[in-house]
Amino acid sequence: TWAGIMDNNATHDYKKSAEYFLPVLPLKNLITLPKSIIPVVVGRDISIKAVDYALNSSKELFVTAQRSVDIENPTMDDVFQIGTRSSILQVERMQNGTMRLLIEGISRAEVVQVVRTDDFFGVIMEFPNYVTQRYFATCVSYDLYDEFETIDNISSHLCFLLIFWIYFKSKFKFP
């Protein structure tokens, strides 16, 4: 279940939490990943309103996948809690009312709180702690380096012993 749900009207001032609040764009049969650029066709009214809000503010969306493609009007319980903070690169409004977007995944994000406006769903999210991940990756790389250095030292000795054994075997005709 979701961490928290707030029902707010459209008069709420989201500018105070603009770096954390993003409108939600649920996708069917499609996912976005950080650093990927994908085309998306948006046709549902709630999704179009979320894109319009994003275009008028930060040009960013919280893009996540639906749990089931059979649901036409998903609620926040019908989408995954982990998604991608994405940037809108291009928008083309079609004559039939749909929109074609080109979006780029920026980073992975996780929902902290759901915000329901009159027009669309939004989320307040948190981003991964990159400092911790970078520190962890550095520690792992140092550990791997130490392991490879140990293997290298052992293998150089083994190689010497193997050459010595082959020479010794051929010289003294051991079975």
Side-chain angles (χ1 to χ4, degrees):
T1 63
W2 294 91
I5 297 179
M6 289 180 6
D7 287 324
N8 289 328
N9 55 26
T11 61
H12 187 274
D13 185 17
Y14 294 114
K15 300 296 181 188
K16 293 178 182 174
S17 59
E19 67 182 74
Y20 298 110
F21 174 81
L22 289 180
V24 175
L25 179 62
L27 299 179
K28 290 183 178 182
N29 292 329
L30 190 63
I31 60 167
T32 59
L33 298 172
K35 302 190 191 303
S36 67
I37 298 174
I38 62 166
V40 177
V41 176
V42 178
R44 292 183 277 207
D45 189 46
I46 195 167
S47 297
I48 290 173
K49 289 177 181 177
V51 170
D52 285 336
Y53 179 88
L55 290 172
N56 292 326
S57 58
S58 65
K59 294 190 174 156
E60 290 184 358
L61 296 163
F62 177 76
V63 181
T64 186
Q66 283 186 214
R67 294 181 187 275
S68 172
V69 296
D70 299 329
I71 300 172
E72 282 303 314
N73 295 312
T75 64
M76 289 307 292
D77 290 329
D78 299 323
V79 298
F80 289 98
Q81 195 170 2
I82 295 176
T84 308
R85 182 177 135 221
S86 300
S87 176
I88 301 172
L89 301 177
Q90 290 180 355
V91 178
E92 183 180 357
R93 293 184 187 270
M94 309 303 288
Q95 290 180 348
N96 62 359
T98 62
M99 301 170 90
R100 270 201 257 178
L101 305 176
L102 191 62
I103 58 174
E104 178 181 16
I106 298 171
S107 66
R108 184 175 56 99
E110 186 171 355
V111 174
V112 174
Q113 190 171 27
V114 177
V115 179
R116 173 72 171 127
T117 68
D118 290 339
D119 298 328
F120 60 88
F121 284 103
V123 293
I124 297 173
M125 64 186 144
E126 67 181 6
F127 305 105
N129 187 346
Y130 292 109
V131 175
T132 303
Q133 289 179 354
R134 191 176 312 127
Y135 176 75
F136 177 75
T138 303
C139 291
V140 168
S141 66
Y142 282 136
D143 286 345
L144 286 174
Y145 179 79
D146 289 341
E147 292 299 322
F148 279 117
E149 191 173 57
T150 303
I151 290 170
D152 184 43
N153 288 337
I154 291 172
S155 65
S156 64
H157 293 350
L158 287 176
C159 194
F160 174 75
L161 289 174
L162 182 63
I163 292 170
F164 182 75
W165 180 75
I166 291 172
Y167 172 75
F168 190 78
K169 182 178 175 186
S170 65
K171 189 76 171 168
F172 295 104
K173 307 286 187 220
F174 281 101

